Amino acid sequence: MNRPKYLFLICPDPQLIKTQIDERLKASSQNDWETKTFWGDDEEPLPNTFWTDLTIKSLFPQPKALVVRRAHTLKADHWDKLDAGVKGLGSDIFPIFCLEGQWKGKTPPVPVALSRRGLFKKAKKENWIWESKGLDQRSLTDFVKAWAAREGLTFEPGAGQALAFALPMDAVAARLELDKIELATGDERTVRREHVDLVAQTGEMPFFDLMDALGQPGAEVSVWKRVLDDHAKSAKDQMLFNLIGFLASQARMYWMLANGENPKGNPYMLKKKAPIAQRLGRAGVARMIDLALEAELSLKTGERRYEEALDILMAGLIDLFQPKRQTRRAR
């Protein structure tokens, strides 16, 4: 079996977690994994289906990767059951526990309740643990190199270093910027110095990047929080009204794309928006307009305070833009 019996991923960055999961599954001896995701901070973090998959052997086994996101929030009794449950694992079951708490200095955020259990001690002994504090200036260089290798891109002299320096230290936001640059390279597949100018300046991520981020699993909180923090020192009401106006213009563009029309605009952006428009459809675009109008009306009538209007608007947009997948309970 060319993989660990089970795995701990310790990292606060959801995109780096996702990349590790994809790479580990790809490198294993199995190529037909069914990935099932559970969330440690749900009301029922490990439901019966999880324990059935973990402990009961099927007559016709389908290899399953049981991914427990935000596993650092699990309680001691969960780790007790897991401690016993992983002892009889078959080769067709691969549990992956994601500890996504924030690091304090150089210390990985491993809950005390877990560190004392045999399954974690065994993982340390067998090197079944991957740790990362997230992206920093040094690791961004490796992040960019790995991206270029995956996509078959080369760099003109100095472009790779300049790009690593320009990217935000958030893997989701960085990946969105790299997607933009990949499209800009075209058939040449060479990243040039001028392409680095496409990266949004830190603290000034444009709203269209945020719209892209909404459809990325695990991305919405970190990317939206970044732009909101960036605008925290400005007039908040003005920022929200700017966002509402932007949503209205985007809805118009999505409506045209969804109906096979050709709106005016940057060809790069239109190409990127077309699949989203098709996924939203007419009903989704109409809902987007409703969310913007509801937020504006609630502010103007005094029905809601700024923070309440923004929270409701964000929650609605995240629900609308997320691809259909296993849903989590509302926060």
Side-chain angles (χ1 to χ4, degrees):
M1 183 167 55
N2 299 323
R3 62 167 178 82
K5 187 176 181 180
Y6 52 88
L7 184 65
F8 285 96
L9 304 178
I10 309 177
C11 180
D13 193 311
Q15 181 62 40
L16 296 182
I17 289 279
K18 180 181 184 302
T19 300
Q20 273 295 312
I21 293 172
D22 292 343
E23 291 179 353
R24 297 294 181 128
L25 295 182
K26 185 177 180 180
S28 72
S29 57
Q30 300 281 356
N31 58 9
D32 56 346
W33 290 103
E34 176 188 358
T35 302
K36 303 181 74 172
T37 302
F38 305 88
W39 295 86
D41 54 356
D42 271 347
E43 289 180 352
E44 189 182 6
L46 300 179
N48 290 335
T49 53
F50 173 85
W51 298 109
T52 298
D53 288 331
L54 184 72
T55 60
I56 299 178
K57 297 185 181 297
S58 172
L59 293 176
F60 305 99
Q62 165 73 39
K64 293 183 178 68
L66 305 181
V67 179
V68 183
R69 296 290 307 275
R70 298 187 58 78
H72 61 286
T73 63
L74 292 174
K75 305 301 182 183
D77 58 337
H78 291 123
W79 292 120
D80 284 337
K81 291 182 66 176
L82 288 167
D83 203 12
V86 298
K87 292 178 179 177
L89 286 175
S91 60
D92 58 325
I93 299 297
F94 186 14
I96 301 176
F97 305 104
C98 307
L99 308 181
E100 302 175 58
Q102 293 297 320
W103 288 53
K104 295 182 179 179
K106 297 182 179 180
T107 304
V110 179
V112 174
L114 169 61
S115 64
R116 296 172 177 173
R117 266 53 180 189
L119 79 166
F120 190 75
K121 294 178 180 179
K122 175 72 171 178
K124 289 184 68 174
K125 180 180 178 181
E126 300 293 340
N127 199 28
W128 295 344
I129 299 175
W130 174 81
E131 299 178 354
S132 172
K133 296 174 66 174
L135 293 179
D136 55 24
Q137 201 58 62
R138 178 178 297 180
S139 59
L140 267 171
T141 299
D142 294 333
F143 185 81
V144 169
K145 288 180 179 178
W147 162 75
R150 285 195 308 270
E151 305 301 333
L153 298 169
T154 59
F155 295 97
E156 75 171 14
Q161 183 178 3
L163 180 57
F165 185 79
L167 287 172
M169 293 182 192
D170 174 282
V172 170
R175 184 179 53 76
L176 291 171
E177 298 296 336
L178 293 176
D179 287 347
K180 184 193 306 181
I181 288 176
E182 181 193 357
L183 285 176
T185 63
D187 295 335
E188 188 180 17
R189 310 302 289 171
T190 298
V191 179
R192 302 196 176 279
R193 289 293 296 264
E194 56 263 30
H195 292 148
V196 179
D197 294 336
L198 295 173
V199 176
Q201 295 297 309
T202 301
E204 297 179 350
M205 179 181 287
F207 285 138
F208 62 75
D209 279 347
L210 300 179
M211 299 295 290
D212 293 337
L214 283 173
Q216 306 298 326
E220 58 272 16
V221 175
S222 61
V223 180
W224 277 106
K225 182 179 184 298
R226 177 183 166 198
V227 81
L228 295 177
D229 288 345
D230 290 340
H231 288 274
K233 294 181 181 179
S234 63
K236 295 191 292 185
D237 288 344
Q238 184 63 42
M239 188 277 289
L240 181 53
F241 280 119
N242 287 343
L243 173 58
I244 291 170
F246 179 79
L247 290 174
S249 66
Q250 289 286 288
R252 190 179 306 111
M253 179 192 67
Y254 281 132
W255 184 271
M256 294 179 70
L257 289 171
N259 286 278
E261 301 179 33
N262 296 312
K264 295 181 180 180
N266 186 304
Y268 157 77
M269 290 305 304
L270 294 177
K271 180 179 179 180
K272 197 165 187 178
K273 297 294 186 184
I276 302 174
Q278 293 302 319
R279 189 175 76 235
L280 289 175
R282 295 182 179 182
V285 176
R287 176 59 181 155
M288 183 177 168
I289 296 172
D290 286 341
L291 287 169
L293 293 178
E294 288 167 5
E296 181 178 18
L297 182 63
S298 68
L299 280 175
K300 289 183 175 179
T301 60
E303 179 184 356
R304 295 191 179 98
R305 298 191 304 272
Y306 169 85
E307 291 80 5
E308 294 173 326
L310 181 58
D311 285 347
I312 293 173
L313 174 59
M314 289 303 199
L317 289 172
I318 289 170
D319 181 67
L320 177 63
F321 275 79
Q322 285 291 292
K324 299 301 181 184
R325 59 188 177 94
Q326 180 176 328
T327 57
R328 305 181 59 188
R329 64 181 173 88
R331 297 296 174 197

